[in-house]
Amino acid sequence: MFGWIELAKFVDWDTVTKVKMDTGALSSSLHATDLEYFQRDDDEWVRFTIKVENQRGEEEWVQQTFERPVYRFVKIISSNGDGDRRPSVLMKLCLGGEIYEEQFTLNDRSDLTYPILFGRRTIEHLGLIDVTRTFTSRPHCDTDAPVHTIENRKLDEDIGI
């Protein structure tokens, strides 16, 4: 069981950050800026920068640039009805003692409190969320940690996928 805010660690970046569990969002979202699209081996890729407050010991702002293939484009409809087309990429994060490969839409979330949110597509694989709790565990994944990859998932059609 997780709380409505947890700490997660990027698998390929030694940074721990806050993640909000957002049952109102279908897709997971990641704060990303400086998006640049390019072609690699006839596939569309995106280069982007993530800047988050590192929660490992002393809190400090850190950033890193990533390159990922575009998994797909997602049309996001905000609560005010505005539509936006965003790229979605796969990223691996350690939550508790397990690694989750998730689809994240890339968006500038600098005006929002939490740089990462897990939407219902991700939450359905995590288990229960206790909205009265926060920070129920720290990310502690080692080389033997279970990895939940996207291709091994059965998606639930009832949540709007």
Side-chain angles (χ1 to χ4, degrees):
M1 182 175 300
F2 294 103
W4 73 279
I5 301 172
E6 291 293 342
L7 294 176
K9 179 189 169 299
F10 289 94
V11 169
D12 50 358
W13 184 26
D14 195 30
T15 296
V16 175
T17 189
K18 294 176 185 174
V19 176
K20 177 182 177 184
M21 307 295 173
D22 188 349
T23 61
L26 179 59
S27 301
S28 296
S29 183
L30 174 62
H31 171 62
T33 59
D34 306 321
L35 275 65
E36 295 177 47
Y37 296 96
F38 62 97
Q39 294 289 312
R40 181 177 289 161
D41 299 325
D42 295 325
D43 293 321
E44 187 161 20
W45 283 60
V46 62
R47 181 178 301 114
F48 56 95
T49 301
I50 299 175
K51 182 177 181 181
V52 294
E53 192 172 4
N54 192 1
Q55 302 294 311
R56 295 180 67 96
E58 290 188 31
E59 295 173 9
E60 64 176 327
W61 286 94
V62 294
Q63 71 179 36
Q64 181 164 320
T65 299
F66 291 90
E67 292 181 351
R68 294 285 189 275
V70 175
Y71 188 72
R72 66 187 183 122
F73 283 93
V74 178
K75 184 173 182 181
I76 304 294
I77 306 295
S78 69
S79 59
N80 66 9
D82 292 338
D84 189 18
R85 185 174 175 260
R86 299 179 189 165
S88 177
V89 298
L90 298 180
M91 300 286 288
K92 290 182 181 177
L93 279 91
C94 170
L95 185 66
E98 300 187 29
I99 296 170
Y100 296 88
E101 179 183 52
E102 298 299 330
Q103 287 184 63
F104 289 92
T105 59
L106 303 179
N107 186 41
D108 185 342
R109 299 179 53 82
S110 57
D111 58 335
L112 301 170
T113 305
Y114 300 100
I116 302 172
L117 69 81
F118 281 165
R120 293 190 307 273
R121 283 189 178 127
T122 300
I123 294 171
E124 75 171 317
H125 306 291
L126 300 179
L128 298 175
I129 304 297
D130 183 344
V131 298
T132 67
R133 300 179 68 193
T134 58
F135 308 117
T136 63
S137 68
R138 293 204 50 93
H140 57 279
C141 296
D142 57 23
T143 56
D144 296 333
V147 179
H148 305 277
T149 59
I150 200 145
E151 68 265 2
N152 294 331
R153 299 239 174 92
K154 179 178 182 251
L155 299 177
D156 186 343
E157 295 296 327
D158 291 337
I159 64 166
I161 296 172

